[in-house]
Amino acid sequence: MEEPTTETEIKTADVTTTTLPPPPRTVSPHQELVERLKDYGQEDVFALWEELSPEERHLLVTEIENLDLPRIDRIIRCSFNSQGLPAAAIEAPPESCVSTVEERRKEEKEKWWKMGLKAIYEGKLGVVLLSGGQGTRLGSSDPKGCYNIGLPSGKSLFQIQAERILCVQRLAAQAMSEAGPTRPVAIQWYIMTSPFTHEPTQKFFETHKYFGLEPDQVTFFQQGTLPCITKDGKFIMETPFSLAKAPDGNGGVYAALKYSGLLEDMASRGIKYVDCYGVDNVLVRVADPTFLGYFIDKGAASAAKVVRKAYPQEKVGVFVRRGKGGPLTVVEYTELDESMASETNQQTGRLKFCWSNVCLHMFTLDFLNQVANGLEKDSIYHVAEKKIPSINGSIEGVKLEQFIFDCFPYAPSTALFEVLREEEFAPVKNANGSSFDTPESAKLLVLRLHTRWVIAAGGFLTHSVPLYATGVEVSPLCSYAGENLEAICRGRTFHAPCEISL
């Protein structure tokens, strides 16, 4: 007779007969993925595979599977191949394509203002904000639009711009009310973020209740990213299980609008014109009716506000004509030698190449579709040599970027609209203490402009410090560009610094 089995033996027997789940995958990634990477010469991303934990392997495989490898390979090849190719000669833009401040007649401005307000009332204008950057150079990790430059109101860049939209909506409704009852006006605002700023931007708007705008008129979308690469086109690994990546530049807005379906969204809403600008200009006239009216009147595919170069060697990109009778485009200051930069137009007395690009653009929706398709087909990005964080420390590498002005060579016609920089261009790019484009310099530009508005409207100022160092701030809810201030200001005295609000 068989001896009874001990308790320990029973447990052992139970364990050996139990079916366990398969262990997590520790073998190489799927061979198909390895072969795909070999097709593009990028199989080195798995060089440290054997040293990775199961979780790290999963992260790496997921990241590679989500890459559009054929597109990225095409971008790398086309961008590298375009380097060093001869470019067509540069010519000055013809005078006929520029509306200058001194040549602009009062009747024209009034006509364009009314045309613009009518188009806005009819829902034909959409606004795109380029807001992918963080305030790193300002000492902040928040999205740059959250930044408070120190105005008396303490408003952020986002709030100032939202309130300008609210003001334009009100002006459009008022302008149309002369013809009878009106309906509410809602300008659609499309805000491009980056992977670093997307969630904080959304949260900032939600926390501040969209600054008075309706939530459904604000749409957030993300610009793309591209792998950072070595000078011979290989992916750079930031960690053993993740690629070094970077946003694809503010020109990534065209692909982002296309792939997010927002060009179709605009069309479905009846939008025909798109105002596009960068977040870091405190004086930006968002949805400017005059600029829109001018654009419609000219019948152009694209338009840009420009300011005159302050001096020949100013480090700004300028509009040029590329080739005899070719399209207008923007070249960086490095492409103009000293003699070209200093050359003057004998008829006007201005610099020949004087029209600076300040990222204030207007496009037809049809043209935006054309540009999105054209840039994607050509796949040529700017090759920027940068320090890239990698598993071997900070190394020399390449970021691939497109710029917002890369659209202009595709335009059958581009109209330029001169504005005064003291009225419409106050960039915030560097921390206080820098020599230019600081929060303090932008703040003073706002205060000085608004002080001129108040005095022109019959107001008076008192101040405890020199007037050049202070002034008043006019809420965008009161006035868009200095209009309608007489009822608020005439005969009143304001002590600077202060905000004048409703």
Coordinates of all heavy atoms in Angstrom, one line a residue, residues 69-81 226 375-376 378-381 400:
L69 N 8.0 56.4 -40.6 CA 9.4 56.3 -41.1 C 9.6 56.7 -42.6 O 10.6 57.4 -42.9 CB 9.9 54.8 -40.9 CG 10.2 54.4 -39.5 CD1 10.4 52.9 -39.4 CD2 11.4 55.2 -38.9
P70 N 8.7 56.4 -43.5 CA 8.9 56.8 -44.9 C 8.9 58.4 -45.0 O 9.7 59.0 -45.7 CB 7.7 56.2 -45.6 CG 7.3 55.1 -44.8 CD 7.5 55.4 -43.4
R71 N 8.0 59.0 -44.2 CA 7.9 60.5 -44.2 C 9.2 61.1 -43.7 O 9.8 62.0 -44.2 CB 6.7 61.0 -43.5 CG 6.6 62.5 -43.4 CD 5.3 62.9 -42.7 NE 5.2 64.4 -42.7 CZ 5.5 65.2 -41.7 NH1 6.1 64.6 -40.6 NH2 5.4 66.4 -41.8
I72 N 9.6 60.6 -42.5 CA 10.8 61.1 -41.8 C 12.1 60.9 -42.7 O 12.9 61.8 -42.9 CB 11.0 60.5 -40.5 CG1 9.9 60.9 -39.5 CG2 12.4 60.9 -39.9 CD1 9.8 60.1 -38.2
D73 N 12.2 59.7 -43.3 CA 13.3 59.5 -44.2 C 13.3 60.4 -45.4 O 14.4 61.0 -45.8 CB 13.3 58.0 -44.7 CG 14.4 57.7 -45.6 OD1 15.6 57.7 -45.1 OD2 14.2 57.5 -46.8
R74 N 12.1 60.7 -46.0 CA 12.0 61.6 -47.1 C 12.4 63.0 -46.7 O 13.2 63.7 -47.4 CB 10.6 61.6 -47.6 CG 10.4 62.5 -48.9 CD 9.0 62.3 -49.4 NE 7.9 62.9 -48.6 CZ 7.0 62.2 -47.9 NH1 7.0 60.9 -47.9 NH2 6.1 62.8 -47.2
I75 N 12.0 63.5 -45.5 CA 12.3 64.8 -45.0 C 13.9 64.9 -44.8 O 14.5 65.9 -45.2 CB 11.6 65.1 -43.7 CG1 10.1 65.3 -43.9 CG2 12.2 66.3 -43.0 CD1 9.3 65.4 -42.7
I76 N 14.5 63.9 -44.2 CA 15.9 63.9 -44.0 C 16.7 64.0 -45.3 O 17.6 64.8 -45.5 CB 16.4 62.7 -43.2 CG1 15.8 62.7 -41.8 CG2 17.9 62.6 -43.2 CD1 16.0 61.5 -41.0
R77 N 16.3 63.1 -46.3 CA 17.0 63.1 -47.6 C 16.8 64.4 -48.4 O 17.8 65.0 -48.9 CB 16.5 61.9 -48.4 CG 17.0 60.6 -48.0 CD 16.6 59.5 -48.9 NE 15.2 59.2 -48.9 CZ 14.4 59.6 -49.9 NH1 14.8 60.3 -50.9 NH2 13.1 59.3 -49.8
C78 N 15.5 64.9 -48.4 CA 15.3 66.1 -49.2 C 15.9 67.3 -48.6 O 16.4 68.2 -49.3 CB 13.8 66.3 -49.3 SG 12.9 65.1 -50.4
S79 N 15.9 67.4 -47.2 CA 16.5 68.5 -46.6 C 18.0 68.6 -46.7 O 18.6 69.6 -47.0 CB 16.1 68.5 -45.1 OG 14.7 68.5 -44.9
F80 N 18.7 67.4 -46.6 CA 20.1 67.3 -46.8 C 20.5 67.6 -48.2 O 21.5 68.3 -48.5 CB 20.7 66.0 -46.3 CG 20.9 65.9 -44.8 CD1 20.3 66.8 -43.9 CD2 21.7 64.9 -44.3 CE1 20.5 66.7 -42.6 CE2 21.9 64.7 -42.9 CZ 21.3 65.7 -42.1
N81 N 19.7 67.1 -49.1 CA 20.1 67.2 -50.6 C 19.9 68.7 -51.0 O 20.5 69.1 -52.0 CB 19.2 66.3 -51.4 CG 19.5 64.9 -51.3 OD1 20.6 64.5 -50.8 ND2 18.6 64.0 -51.7
L226 N 10.0 66.0 -34.7 CA 10.8 65.2 -35.6 C 12.0 64.7 -34.8 O 12.5 65.4 -33.9 CB 11.3 65.9 -36.8 CG 10.3 66.2 -37.9 CD1 10.9 67.2 -38.9 CD2 9.9 64.9 -38.6
L375 N 4.4 71.9 -49.3 CA 5.5 71.7 -48.3 C 5.7 70.2 -48.0 O 6.8 69.7 -47.9 CB 5.2 72.5 -47.0 CG 5.4 74.0 -47.1 CD1 5.0 74.7 -45.8 CD2 6.9 74.4 -47.4
E376 N 4.6 69.5 -47.9 CA 4.7 68.1 -47.6 C 5.3 67.3 -48.8 O 6.1 66.4 -48.6 CB 3.3 67.5 -47.3 CG 3.3 66.1 -46.8 CD 4.0 65.8 -45.5 OE1 4.1 66.8 -44.7 OE2 4.5 64.7 -45.3
D378 N 7.3 68.6 -51.1 CA 8.7 68.9 -51.3 C 9.6 68.4 -50.1 O 10.8 68.1 -50.3 CB 8.9 70.4 -51.5 CG 8.3 70.9 -52.8 OD1 8.0 70.0 -53.7 OD2 8.0 72.1 -52.9
S379 N 9.0 68.4 -48.9 CA 9.7 67.9 -47.7 C 11.1 68.5 -47.4 O 12.0 67.8 -47.0 CB 9.8 66.4 -47.8 OG 8.6 65.8 -47.8
I380 N 11.2 69.8 -47.7 CA 12.5 70.5 -47.5 C 12.4 71.3 -46.2 O 11.6 72.2 -46.1 CB 12.9 71.4 -48.6 CG1 13.1 70.5 -49.9 CG2 14.2 72.2 -48.3 CD1 13.4 71.4 -51.1
Y381 N 13.2 70.9 -45.2 CA 13.2 71.6 -43.9 C 14.6 72.3 -43.8 O 15.6 72.0 -44.4 CB 13.1 70.6 -42.8 CG 11.7 70.1 -42.6 CD1 11.0 69.5 -43.6 CD2 11.0 70.3 -41.4 CE1 9.7 69.0 -43.4 CE2 9.7 69.8 -41.2 CZ 9.0 69.2 -42.2 OH 7.7 68.8 -42.0
L400 N 15.6 69.6 -37.5 CA 14.9 69.9 -38.8 C 13.7 70.7 -38.5 O 12.8 70.3 -37.7 CB 14.6 68.6 -39.5 CG 15.8 67.7 -39.9 CD1 15.3 66.4 -40.4 CD2 16.6 68.4 -41.0

